[in-house]
Amino acid sequence: PTLRVALMGLGDYASRVAEAMQSCKRAKITGLISGTPAKLQQWGEKYQVPEDSRYSYENFDSIRDNSNIDVVYVITPNALHHEHTIRAAKAGKHVICEKPMALDVKEGQEMIDACAQAGVKLLVGYRMHFEPNTLEIIQMRDKGELGKITFFQGLSGFRIGDPSQWRLNKALAGGGSLVDIGIYSVNGARYMVGEEPIWVTAQETKTDTIKFKDGVDETIQFQLGFPSGAVASCLSSYNIDHLDRFFLSGDKGFAELHPANGYGPIKGRTHKNELRMPHGAQQTLQMDEMAAIILDGKQPIIPVDGIEGLKDVKIMEAIYQACATGQKQELKLL
Ligand code: NAD
């Protein structure tokens, strides 16, 4: 069977997902949710979604009666993920929610609970979890080819433009660079090291208090400690360009991804050779794999469920706490 997907929030990233889904083998767009009638019409015609499967934010709860939709893919600004996920679950639909899953741990837990209560699955849009070069490294690590893992470095950032966008508005974004782009290093530290961190320290620097208002972080450096003794050192920024690199070191070898998280080909090397797994649109792979997870109960190599999303939210909350207090924060993720 094919996973029938309603896209919610027809912005930049939804456009990328919609285009990539045209090449999916097991997922297709059968519904649209937007606050802009003109977008509903334009997207509806382009992707052949009939009028009775186009919804607004006011009336999308009636998606419950639409037997041609299995899942709602929430691609709205971060602060709306909580409400949109819970309403979609209550309408009896599975949910794929974009990252960051929630603004805080309380919200994230409520989303997990609502999906459990409704008997629907909750997945988070972690596209890297299906990326072949990334998975190649994880396989090598699990086979012991890198030896004992001792260190991870994650660099995630770019110089953000337009100061009026929602990403720089605390109410809609829930934070700054960390929740938007630094989350790739938070999440990546966990899947690259292959353990859950037990403590975090963090430091924030702000050079532009006009563009990056209170609660919107410009640059954060953070460090994670893992039970084995491995450590991670990461950088998240909205004001430093060309930050897209992962480095993993073990006592028998290393692996490097650069770029590590961009939409284009993920490139990298290990102490043995260049990584050369084939590249397709990451969102095509993601949606086909998510179809198998939702429809067949397939277990992904790296989890993409709500619990996985909530772990990253917990760590980010602790990072903000560490920045505010200057104190090391203990973490309990398991
Ligand atoms: P965007 O601004 O381009 O799109 C957001 C959409 O939500 C717009 O169409 C907007 O009209 C709509 N919207 C609905 N209610 C709104 C409101 N109250 N205020 C503002 N907009 C509202 O943003 P985007 O880049 O598409 O990001 C959307 C989500 O996708 C974010 O959570 C972001 O973190 C996530 N994202 C994920 C990836 C990824 O690689 N996984 C990449 C980009 C964005």
Side-chain angles (χ1 to χ4, degrees), residues 9-14 36 39 57 73-78 80-81 84 98-100 125 127 166-167 172 179-180 184 263 283:
L10 306 182
D12 286 344
Y13 193 60
T36 312
K39 276 196 213 165
Y57 293 106
Y73 192 166
V74 177
I75 320 185
T76 49
N78 307 345
L80 307 173
H81 293 176
H84 289 158
E98 258 313 320
K99 46 57 62 176
R127 61 190 158 78
W166 67 258
R167 280 184 167 77
L172 281 171
V179 297
D180 186 55
Y184 285 97
Y263 299 133
Q283 295 82 4

mmCIF file of all heavy atoms in Angstrom, residues 9-14 36 39 57 73-78 80-81 84 98-100 125 127 166-167 172 179-180 184 263 283, ligand 1:
data_model
loop_
_atom_site.group_PDB
_atom_site.id
_atom_site.type_symbol
_atom_site.label_atom_id
_atom_site.label_comp_id
_atom_site.label_asym_id
_atom_site.label_seq_id
_atom_site.Cartn_x
_atom_site.Cartn_y
_atom_site.Cartn_z
ATOM 1 N N GLY A 9 0.919 23.418 6.102
ATOM 2 C CA GLY A 9 1.872 24.537 6.136
ATOM 3 C C GLY A 9 2.637 24.557 4.826
ATOM 4 O O GLY A 9 3.676 23.916 4.704
ATOM 5 N N LEU A 10 2.091 25.259 3.850
ATOM 6 C CA LEU A 10 2.644 25.169 2.494
ATOM 7 C C LEU A 10 3.710 26.239 2.272
ATOM 8 O O LEU A 10 3.565 27.127 1.433
ATOM 9 C CB LEU A 10 1.508 25.262 1.469
ATOM 10 C CG LEU A 10 0.366 24.235 1.697
ATOM 11 C CD1 LEU A 10 -0.701 24.369 0.610
ATOM 12 C CD2 LEU A 10 0.896 22.806 1.766
ATOM 13 N N GLY A 11 4.791 26.152 3.025
ATOM 14 C CA GLY A 11 5.895 27.103 2.916
ATOM 15 C C GLY A 11 7.069 26.500 2.169
ATOM 16 O O GLY A 11 6.921 25.564 1.381
ATOM 17 N N ASP A 12 8.260 27.023 2.479
ATOM 18 C CA ASP A 12 9.482 26.626 1.754
ATOM 19 C C ASP A 12 9.779 25.136 1.889
ATOM 20 O O ASP A 12 10.049 24.453 0.906
ATOM 21 C CB ASP A 12 10.691 27.397 2.296
ATOM 22 C CG ASP A 12 10.672 28.833 1.852
ATOM 23 O OD1 ASP A 12 9.911 29.155 0.906
ATOM 24 O OD2 ASP A 12 11.399 29.643 2.447
ATOM 25 N N TYR A 13 9.775 24.659 3.132
ATOM 26 C CA TYR A 13 10.182 23.265 3.288
ATOM 27 C C TYR A 13 9.120 22.311 2.743
ATOM 28 O O TYR A 13 9.458 21.284 2.149
ATOM 29 C CB TYR A 13 10.539 22.933 4.738
ATOM 30 C CG TYR A 13 11.245 21.604 4.808
ATOM 31 C CD1 TYR A 13 12.459 21.415 4.127
ATOM 32 C CD2 TYR A 13 10.702 20.518 5.485
ATOM 33 C CE1 TYR A 13 13.098 20.188 4.134
ATOM 34 C CE2 TYR A 13 11.352 19.290 5.495
ATOM 35 C CZ TYR A 13 12.549 19.132 4.818
ATOM 36 O OH TYR A 13 13.185 17.919 4.809
ATOM 37 N N ALA A 14 7.845 22.668 2.900
ATOM 38 C CA ALA A 14 6.787 21.822 2.330
ATOM 39 C C ALA A 14 6.943 21.727 0.811
ATOM 40 O O ALA A 14 6.687 20.665 0.216
ATOM 41 C CB ALA A 14 5.409 22.374 2.698
ATOM 42 N N THR A 36 -4.008 29.893 3.326
ATOM 43 C CA THR A 36 -4.068 30.755 2.139
ATOM 44 C C THR A 36 -4.829 30.057 1.013
ATOM 45 O O THR A 36 -4.291 29.121 0.390
ATOM 46 C CB THR A 36 -2.639 31.102 1.667
ATOM 47 O OG1 THR A 36 -1.872 31.514 2.786
ATOM 48 C CG2 THR A 36 -2.633 32.195 0.618
ATOM 49 N N LYS A 39 -3.030 29.356 -2.260
ATOM 50 C CA LYS A 39 -2.043 28.272 -2.227
ATOM 51 C C LYS A 39 -2.739 26.927 -2.332
ATOM 52 O O LYS A 39 -2.258 26.018 -3.025
ATOM 53 C CB LYS A 39 -1.255 28.315 -0.912
ATOM 54 C CG LYS A 39 -0.084 29.248 -0.896
ATOM 55 C CD LYS A 39 0.804 28.873 0.315
ATOM 56 C CE LYS A 39 1.479 30.065 0.914
ATOM 57 N NZ LYS A 39 2.043 29.802 2.243
ATOM 58 N N TYR A 57 -6.730 25.976 8.488
ATOM 59 C CA TYR A 57 -6.393 25.678 9.879
ATOM 60 C C TYR A 57 -7.648 25.648 10.758
ATOM 61 O O TYR A 57 -7.654 25.037 11.812
ATOM 62 C CB TYR A 57 -5.379 26.701 10.425
ATOM 63 C CG TYR A 57 -4.036 26.570 9.743
ATOM 64 C CD1 TYR A 57 -3.609 27.512 8.801
ATOM 65 C CD2 TYR A 57 -3.204 25.485 10.008
ATOM 66 C CE1 TYR A 57 -2.396 27.378 8.158
ATOM 67 C CE2 TYR A 57 -1.986 25.344 9.368
ATOM 68 C CZ TYR A 57 -1.592 26.294 8.438
ATOM 69 O OH TYR A 57 -0.394 26.158 7.797
ATOM 70 N N TYR A 73 1.398 15.670 7.741
ATOM 71 C CA TYR A 73 2.800 16.075 7.885
ATOM 72 C C TYR A 73 2.808 17.554 8.268
ATOM 73 O O TYR A 73 2.528 18.427 7.441
ATOM 74 C CB TYR A 73 3.552 15.821 6.578
ATOM 75 C CG TYR A 73 5.080 15.924 6.676
ATOM 76 C CD1 TYR A 73 5.882 15.426 5.646
ATOM 77 C CD2 TYR A 73 5.729 16.505 7.758
ATOM 78 C CE1 TYR A 73 7.278 15.501 5.708
ATOM 79 C CE2 TYR A 73 7.113 16.584 7.832
ATOM 80 C CZ TYR A 73 7.874 16.088 6.809
ATOM 81 O OH TYR A 73 9.260 16.172 6.873
ATOM 82 N N VAL A 74 3.124 17.831 9.537
ATOM 83 C CA VAL A 74 3.097 19.186 10.092
ATOM 84 C C VAL A 74 4.395 19.913 9.751
ATOM 85 O O VAL A 74 5.469 19.551 10.255
ATOM 86 C CB VAL A 74 2.894 19.128 11.632
ATOM 87 C CG1 VAL A 74 2.947 20.523 12.234
ATOM 88 C CG2 VAL A 74 1.584 18.424 11.977
ATOM 89 N N ILE A 75 4.289 20.943 8.884
ATOM 90 C CA ILE A 75 5.482 21.681 8.439
ATOM 91 C C ILE A 75 5.272 23.180 8.678
ATOM 92 O O ILE A 75 5.585 24.028 7.846
ATOM 93 C CB ILE A 75 5.824 21.361 6.956
ATOM 94 C CG1 ILE A 75 5.625 19.872 6.638
ATOM 95 C CG2 ILE A 75 7.273 21.775 6.645
ATOM 96 C CD1 ILE A 75 6.041 19.436 5.246
ATOM 97 N N THR A 76 4.694 23.483 9.823
ATOM 98 C CA THR A 76 4.418 24.873 10.201
ATOM 99 C C THR A 76 5.517 25.378 11.138
ATOM 100 O O THR A 76 6.350 24.598 11.615
ATOM 101 C CB THR A 76 3.052 24.932 10.923
ATOM 102 O OG1 THR A 76 3.013 23.917 11.933
ATOM 103 C CG2 THR A 76 1.912 24.704 9.944
ATOM 104 N N PRO A 77 5.536 26.706 11.437
ATOM 105 C CA PRO A 77 6.526 27.222 12.388
ATOM 106 C C PRO A 77 6.483 26.454 13.719
ATOM 107 O O PRO A 77 5.426 25.976 14.149
ATOM 108 C CB PRO A 77 6.113 28.685 12.556
ATOM 109 C CG PRO A 77 5.506 29.032 11.222
ATOM 110 C CD PRO A 77 4.740 27.800 10.822
ATOM 111 N N ASN A 78 7.634 26.365 14.368
ATOM 112 C CA ASN A 78 7.835 25.499 15.532
ATOM 113 C C ASN A 78 6.768 25.600 16.615
ATOM 114 O O ASN A 78 6.346 24.588 17.172
ATOM 115 C CB ASN A 78 9.200 25.818 16.167
ATOM 116 C CG ASN A 78 10.332 25.759 15.157
ATOM 117 O OD1 ASN A 78 10.169 25.227 14.070
ATOM 118 N ND2 ASN A 78 11.487 26.316 15.503
ATOM 119 N N LEU A 80 3.771 26.065 16.494
ATOM 120 C CA LEU A 80 2.461 25.508 16.130
ATOM 121 C C LEU A 80 2.454 23.989 16.098
ATOM 122 O O LEU A 80 1.406 23.366 15.985
ATOM 123 C CB LEU A 80 2.028 26.079 14.765
ATOM 124 C CG LEU A 80 2.057 27.614 14.705
ATOM 125 C CD1 LEU A 80 1.794 28.115 13.288
ATOM 126 C CD2 LEU A 80 1.039 28.198 15.660
ATOM 127 N N HIS A 81 3.646 23.375 16.197
ATOM 128 C CA HIS A 81 3.727 21.910 16.087
ATOM 129 C C HIS A 81 2.857 21.212 17.131
ATOM 130 O O HIS A 81 2.217 20.211 16.841
ATOM 131 C CB HIS A 81 5.183 21.443 16.253
ATOM 132 C CG HIS A 81 6.081 21.881 15.134
ATOM 133 N ND1 HIS A 81 7.432 21.642 15.131
ATOM 134 C CD2 HIS A 81 5.835 22.546 13.970
ATOM 135 C CE1 HIS A 81 7.976 22.139 14.029
ATOM 136 N NE2 HIS A 81 7.024 22.707 13.305
ATOM 137 N N HIS A 84 -0.951 21.603 16.292
ATOM 138 C CA HIS A 84 -1.275 20.934 15.023
ATOM 139 C C HIS A 84 -1.153 19.419 15.125
ATOM 140 O O HIS A 84 -1.959 18.679 14.563
ATOM 141 C CB HIS A 84 -0.390 21.496 13.904
ATOM 142 C CG HIS A 84 -0.755 22.909 13.531
ATOM 143 N ND1 HIS A 84 0.116 23.776 12.907
ATOM 144 C CD2 HIS A 84 -1.909 23.606 13.705
ATOM 145 C CE1 HIS A 84 -0.498 24.939 12.712
ATOM 146 N NE2 HIS A 84 -1.714 24.852 13.185
ATOM 147 N N GLU A 98 7.592 18.170 11.928
ATOM 148 C CA GLU A 98 8.934 18.673 11.631
ATOM 149 C C GLU A 98 9.706 18.957 12.919
ATOM 150 O O GLU A 98 9.157 19.080 13.991
ATOM 151 C CB GLU A 98 8.863 19.921 10.735
ATOM 152 C CG GLU A 98 9.170 19.619 9.279
ATOM 153 C CD GLU A 98 10.424 18.740 9.087
ATOM 154 O OE1 GLU A 98 11.420 18.937 9.786
ATOM 155 O OE2 GLU A 98 10.390 17.860 8.220
ATOM 156 N N LYS A 99 11.021 19.054 12.764
ATOM 157 C CA LYS A 99 11.889 19.417 13.879
ATOM 158 C C LYS A 99 11.895 20.921 14.053
ATOM 159 O O LYS A 99 11.697 21.609 13.059
ATOM 160 C CB LYS A 99 13.315 18.892 13.672
ATOM 161 C CG LYS A 99 13.978 19.106 12.289
ATOM 162 C CD LYS A 99 14.157 20.432 11.682
ATOM 163 C CE LYS A 99 14.988 21.480 12.309
ATOM 164 N NZ LYS A 99 15.092 22.707 11.433
ATOM 165 N N PRO A 100 12.110 21.456 15.247
ATOM 166 C CA PRO A 100 12.100 20.751 16.515
ATOM 167 C C PRO A 100 10.674 20.308 16.823
ATOM 168 O O PRO A 100 9.725 21.070 16.602
ATOM 169 C CB PRO A 100 12.575 21.818 17.500
ATOM 170 C CG PRO A 100 12.099 23.114 16.900
ATOM 171 C CD PRO A 100 12.211 22.923 15.420
ATOM 172 N N GLY A 125 10.410 14.618 11.541
ATOM 173 C CA GLY A 125 10.976 14.732 10.185
ATOM 174 C C GLY A 125 12.497 14.708 10.120
ATOM 175 O O GLY A 125 13.099 15.546 9.426
ATOM 176 N N ARG A 127 15.314 13.765 8.489
ATOM 177 C CA ARG A 127 15.700 13.191 7.190
ATOM 178 C C ARG A 127 17.080 12.532 7.208
ATOM 179 O O ARG A 127 17.333 11.583 6.473
ATOM 180 C CB ARG A 127 15.615 14.249 6.075
ATOM 181 C CG ARG A 127 16.514 15.421 6.275
ATOM 182 C CD ARG A 127 16.228 16.561 5.297
ATOM 183 N NE ARG A 127 16.740 17.794 5.843
ATOM 184 C CZ ARG A 127 18.018 18.174 5.836
ATOM 185 N NH1 ARG A 127 18.915 17.443 5.212
ATOM 186 N NH2 ARG A 127 18.403 19.298 6.388
ATOM 187 N N TRP A 166 9.914 34.481 10.869
ATOM 188 C CA TRP A 166 9.451 33.848 12.124
ATOM 189 C C TRP A 166 10.604 33.176 12.876
ATOM 190 O O TRP A 166 10.549 33.025 14.080
ATOM 191 C CB TRP A 166 8.300 32.877 11.858
ATOM 192 C CG TRP A 166 8.633 31.634 11.070
ATOM 193 C CD1 TRP A 166 8.381 31.407 9.744
ATOM 194 C CD2 TRP A 166 9.254 30.432 11.569
ATOM 195 N NE1 TRP A 166 8.830 30.154 9.386
ATOM 196 C CE2 TRP A 166 9.358 29.532 10.488
ATOM 197 C CE3 TRP A 166 9.743 30.023 12.807
ATOM 198 C CZ2 TRP A 166 9.933 28.257 10.612
ATOM 199 C CZ3 TRP A 166 10.315 28.763 12.938
ATOM 200 C CH2 TRP A 166 10.398 27.896 11.836
ATOM 201 N N ARG A 167 11.651 32.750 12.166
ATOM 202 C CA ARG A 167 12.767 32.083 12.836
ATOM 203 C C ARG A 167 13.464 32.993 13.856
ATOM 204 O O ARG A 167 14.171 32.521 14.722
ATOM 205 C CB ARG A 167 13.798 31.593 11.807
ATOM 206 C CG ARG A 167 13.394 30.291 11.128
ATOM 207 C CD ARG A 167 14.476 29.777 10.199
ATOM 208 N NE ARG A 167 14.224 28.408 9.802
ATOM 209 C CZ ARG A 167 13.328 28.034 8.893
ATOM 210 N NH1 ARG A 167 12.592 28.942 8.274
ATOM 211 N NH2 ARG A 167 13.157 26.761 8.605
ATOM 212 N N LEU A 172 7.230 32.388 17.836
ATOM 213 C CA LEU A 172 6.957 31.376 16.803
ATOM 214 C C LEU A 172 8.060 30.331 16.682
ATOM 215 O O LEU A 172 7.806 29.195 16.305
ATOM 216 C CB LEU A 172 6.763 32.053 15.433
ATOM 217 C CG LEU A 172 5.386 32.685 15.203
ATOM 218 C CD1 LEU A 172 5.383 33.512 13.920
ATOM 219 C CD2 LEU A 172 4.289 31.632 15.157
ATOM 220 N N VAL A 179 17.496 25.649 18.210
ATOM 221 C CA VAL A 179 16.319 24.818 17.917
ATOM 222 C C VAL A 179 16.134 24.613 16.417
ATOM 223 O O VAL A 179 15.443 23.689 15.996
ATOM 224 C CB VAL A 179 15.029 25.401 18.533
ATOM 225 C CG1 VAL A 179 15.138 25.432 20.047
ATOM 226 C CG2 VAL A 179 14.721 26.786 17.988
ATOM 227 N N ASP A 180 16.739 25.487 15.617
ATOM 228 C CA ASP A 180 16.552 25.413 14.166
ATOM 229 C C ASP A 180 17.649 24.613 13.473
ATOM 230 O O ASP A 180 17.369 23.696 12.705
ATOM 231 C CB ASP A 180 16.518 26.837 13.594
ATOM 232 C CG ASP A 180 16.171 26.845 12.111
ATOM 233 O OD1 ASP A 180 15.120 26.269 11.761
ATOM 234 O OD2 ASP A 180 16.942 27.402 11.305
ATOM 235 N N TYR A 184 20.685 19.810 14.675
ATOM 236 C CA TYR A 184 21.346 18.761 13.872
ATOM 237 C C TYR A 184 22.576 18.213 14.596
ATOM 238 O O TYR A 184 22.868 17.027 14.507
ATOM 239 C CB TYR A 184 21.727 19.292 12.489
ATOM 240 C CG TYR A 184 20.521 19.425 11.590
ATOM 241 C CD1 TYR A 184 19.863 20.632 11.433
ATOM 242 C CD2 TYR A 184 20.008 18.310 10.928
ATOM 243 C CE1 TYR A 184 18.736 20.743 10.642
ATOM 244 C CE2 TYR A 184 18.881 18.408 10.134
ATOM 245 C CZ TYR A 184 18.244 19.631 9.994
ATOM 246 O OH TYR A 184 17.117 19.727 9.225
ATOM 247 N N TYR A 263 20.939 19.667 2.100
ATOM 248 C CA TYR A 263 19.996 18.927 1.258
ATOM 249 C C TYR A 263 20.701 18.193 0.115
ATOM 250 O O TYR A 263 20.176 17.260 -0.449
ATOM 251 C CB TYR A 263 18.959 19.865 0.640
ATOM 252 C CG TYR A 263 18.104 20.611 1.632
ATOM 253 C CD1 TYR A 263 17.889 21.982 1.487
ATOM 254 C CD2 TYR A 263 17.504 19.951 2.699
ATOM 255 C CE1 TYR A 263 17.083 22.673 2.374
ATOM 256 C CE2 TYR A 263 16.702 20.644 3.589
ATOM 257 C CZ TYR A 263 16.498 22.009 3.422
ATOM 258 O OH TYR A 263 15.714 22.699 4.296
ATOM 259 N N GLN A 283 14.406 13.711 1.015
ATOM 260 C CA GLN A 283 12.994 13.656 1.417
ATOM 261 C C GLN A 283 12.239 12.553 0.692
ATOM 262 O O GLN A 283 11.220 12.067 1.187
ATOM 263 C CB GLN A 283 12.326 15.020 1.177
ATOM 264 C CG GLN A 283 12.884 16.153 2.044
ATOM 265 C CD GLN A 283 14.176 16.767 1.501
ATOM 266 O OE1 GLN A 283 14.643 16.412 0.414
ATOM 267 N NE2 GLN A 283 14.767 17.686 2.244
HETATM 268 P P1 NAD B 1 8.145 28.719 6.043
HETATM 269 O O1 NAD B 1 7.944 30.029 6.726
HETATM 270 O O2 NAD B 1 8.694 28.718 4.667
HETATM 271 O O3 NAD B 1 6.759 27.924 6.015
HETATM 272 C C1 NAD B 1 5.894 27.878 7.129
HETATM 273 C C2 NAD B 1 4.467 27.803 6.640
HETATM 274 O O4 NAD B 1 3.583 27.821 7.760
HETATM 275 C C3 NAD B 1 4.087 29.001 5.740
HETATM 276 O O5 NAD B 1 3.431 28.553 4.592
HETATM 277 C C4 NAD B 1 3.150 29.811 6.617
HETATM 278 O O6 NAD B 1 2.162 30.473 5.867
HETATM 279 C C5 NAD B 1 2.521 28.748 7.505
HETATM 280 N N1 NAD B 1 1.953 29.244 8.732
HETATM 281 C C6 NAD B 1 0.833 28.770 9.288
HETATM 282 N N2 NAD B 1 0.514 29.441 10.379
HETATM 283 C C7 NAD B 1 1.441 30.398 10.535
HETATM 284 C C8 NAD B 1 1.631 31.428 11.496
HETATM 285 N N3 NAD B 1 0.815 31.598 12.529
HETATM 286 N N4 NAD B 1 2.717 32.209 11.338
HETATM 287 C C9 NAD B 1 3.580 32.042 10.330
HETATM 288 N N5 NAD B 1 3.433 31.080 9.387
HETATM 289 C C10 NAD B 1 2.368 30.272 9.491
HETATM 290 O O7 NAD B 1 9.043 27.846 7.016
HETATM 291 P P2 NAD B 1 9.779 26.485 6.650
HETATM 292 O O8 NAD B 1 11.191 26.766 6.377
HETATM 293 O O9 NAD B 1 9.001 25.741 5.637
HETATM 294 O O10 NAD B 1 9.738 25.728 8.073
HETATM 295 C C11 NAD B 1 8.561 25.086 8.541
HETATM 296 C C12 NAD B 1 8.933 23.992 9.546
HETATM 297 O O11 NAD B 1 9.735 23.018 8.877
HETATM 298 C C13 NAD B 1 9.766 24.469 10.730
HETATM 299 O O12 NAD B 1 9.380 23.775 11.896
HETATM 300 C C14 NAD B 1 11.185 24.105 10.369
HETATM 301 O O13 NAD B 1 12.007 23.846 11.489
HETATM 302 C C15 NAD B 1 10.964 22.843 9.565
HETATM 303 N N6 NAD B 1 12.037 22.630 8.565
HETATM 304 C C16 NAD B 1 12.643 21.422 8.515
HETATM 305 C C17 NAD B 1 13.637 21.182 7.591
HETATM 306 C C18 NAD B 1 14.293 19.837 7.502
HETATM 307 O O14 NAD B 1 15.267 19.711 6.776
HETATM 308 N N7 NAD B 1 13.792 18.822 8.169
HETATM 309 C C19 NAD B 1 14.017 22.199 6.721
HETATM 310 C C20 NAD B 1 13.376 23.420 6.781
HETATM 311 C C21 NAD B 1 12.384 23.627 7.719
#
